[in-house]
Amino acid sequence: LKMTKNSQNLMCKNCNNPIRNQNQLYEYTKVIRDAKNFISKTSTMDRFGRLRPLLSGMKTPAVVFDIDETLFQTHCWLCGMSLDNVIAINPMRNFYKWSVDKNLAVFFVTARTEAGREYTFNELKKHNMDRFAHLFMMPDTSNRTTFEVQTFKSNARKIISNKFTILVNFGDQPHDIRGEPTRFKRKSTVSEGNCYAMKGYLLPDPTTNRKITLVGQGTPMGIAFQILGRQRKNKENKNQISDNSNSENN
């Protein structure tokens, strides 16, 4: 990487262009705004400024991050060439800091293998992102195919969901936010199951100009809708019981 004389923008050695696309950075800013609004609707803040579950049935709130091209930029966003040194993506780093300050449990789920655990931790620590609940990494024996990565990441979120409610999940590849794939014996298609998150954000791919997808993922109905549905059903049942009691009294 080399620096321009007139600005502090990092330049790519390969294509000689700024390694960051400002339009994509703006998309990250939109994501953070949307994620905070979504979290505020599902959580409440205590007197210490920390978030607590708002909806009944919710567990401890959590957020899940992929690492490469989510928290860290590891490729030029124009030509896709690998960078000599990773760079923290500021909007995402700021949201990480906000999440920690608000007492959200932070999890990292990456396709990096266990052999790089120490390096990855030192990388996170260098960029002040070393406060987290757990770092999930793939086994060294993995071939890291798309199927294996998607299965691993979905299973990691399943483990997290046993004790936490994943409010938002961030990743730059579809397998970062999709549910567990299922291969059929007679078909070549792949079916997806529960992705164990209330909302997922598909961030830009470094080799394309794809904009961020602001689409809720999660279970087929969504965890929030299930909770709200149960609450609505309970309320309807109570009203029905009340109506029956009134009619009997009359």
Side-chain angles (χ1 to χ4, degrees):
L1 298 175
K2 61 181 180 179
M3 304 292 289
T4 61
K5 294 181 179 180
N6 298 326
S7 70
Q8 295 299 311
N9 289 331
L10 292 170
M11 305 297 289
C12 177
K13 292 179 180 178
N14 184 52
C15 65
N16 202 35
N17 286 299
I19 64 171
R20 282 185 165 167
N21 182 317
Q22 294 301 318
N23 290 331
Q24 287 182 340
L25 277 178
Y26 174 68
E27 290 292 312
Y28 279 99
T29 303
K30 286 167 57 180
V31 154
I32 300 310
R33 182 167 58 247
D34 186 86
K36 287 183 178 180
N37 288 338
F38 177 74
I39 290 174
S40 67
K41 294 177 181 178
T42 59
S43 307
T44 185
M45 192 174 296
D46 64 17
R47 62 192 181 93
F48 299 106
R50 297 171 301 190
L51 292 175
R52 293 284 185 266
L54 179 62
L55 300 174
S56 62
M58 278 183 60
K59 303 172 186 176
T60 303
V63 295
V64 174
F65 297 91
D66 173 42
I67 292 181
D68 297 313
E69 311 310 332
T70 300
L71 289 174
F72 295 142
Q73 182 180 348
T74 61
H75 295 76
C76 170
W77 283 355
L78 186 62
C79 70
M81 181 181 179
S82 296
L83 305 180
D84 294 337
N85 299 294
V86 301
I87 305 167
I89 299 174
N90 287 331
M92 299 303 297
R93 179 168 59 181
N94 292 339
F95 182 77
Y96 158 83
K97 184 178 183 301
W98 180 86
S99 300
V100 171
D101 291 342
K102 299 302 181 185
N103 203 39
L104 292 170
V106 173
F107 292 88
F108 299 132
V109 180
T110 177
R112 296 184 184 189
T113 60
E114 285 289 347
R117 179 172 288 275
E118 183 178 357
Y119 170 80
T120 300
F121 177 79
N122 290 335
E123 205 171 48
L124 291 166
K125 186 175 182 179
K126 177 182 176 182
H127 294 280
N128 299 316
M129 288 187 277
D130 55 336
R131 294 174 60 189
F132 53 87
H134 191 70
L135 167 62
F136 290 86
M137 305 187 77
M138 296 192 71
D140 296 330
T141 55
S142 172
N143 294 321
R144 298 204 297 173
T145 63
T146 299
F147 185 86
E148 285 182 319
V149 172
Q150 186 169 335
T151 301
F152 166 78
K153 293 200 171 190
S154 177
N155 287 338
R157 293 192 298 272
K158 181 179 181 180
I159 293 171
I160 296 170
S161 68
N162 288 331
K163 294 184 178 180
F164 300 85
T165 294
I166 302 174
L167 300 181
V168 291
N169 175 35
F170 299 96
D172 70 296
Q173 297 297 325
H175 56 240
D176 291 323
I177 61 174
R178 286 177 174 168
E180 182 179 1
T182 303
R183 283 178 174 160
F184 295 100
K185 294 181 179 180
R186 297 182 180 180
K187 298 181 180 179
S188 59
T189 57
V190 175
S191 174
E192 295 177 3
N194 191 338
C195 82
Y196 305 101
M198 291 181 71
K199 194 165 189 179
Y201 295 92
L202 184 59
L203 307 175
D205 185 297
T207 58
T208 70
N209 198 31
R210 182 188 68 206
K211 290 188 175 182
I212 291 172
T213 304
L214 301 175
V215 178
Q217 302 295 325
T219 61
M221 291 187 65
I223 298 174
F225 293 107
Q226 291 181 15
I227 294 173
L228 292 172
R230 286 200 301 270
Q231 292 176 345
R232 190 179 299 110
K233 188 174 182 180
N234 291 336
K235 185 176 181 180
E236 290 174 353
N237 290 338
K238 289 181 180 178
N239 292 336
Q240 186 175 2
I241 293 173
S242 177
D243 293 340
N244 292 339
S245 299
N246 293 334
S247 60
E248 290 176 0
N249 293 332
N250 294 333

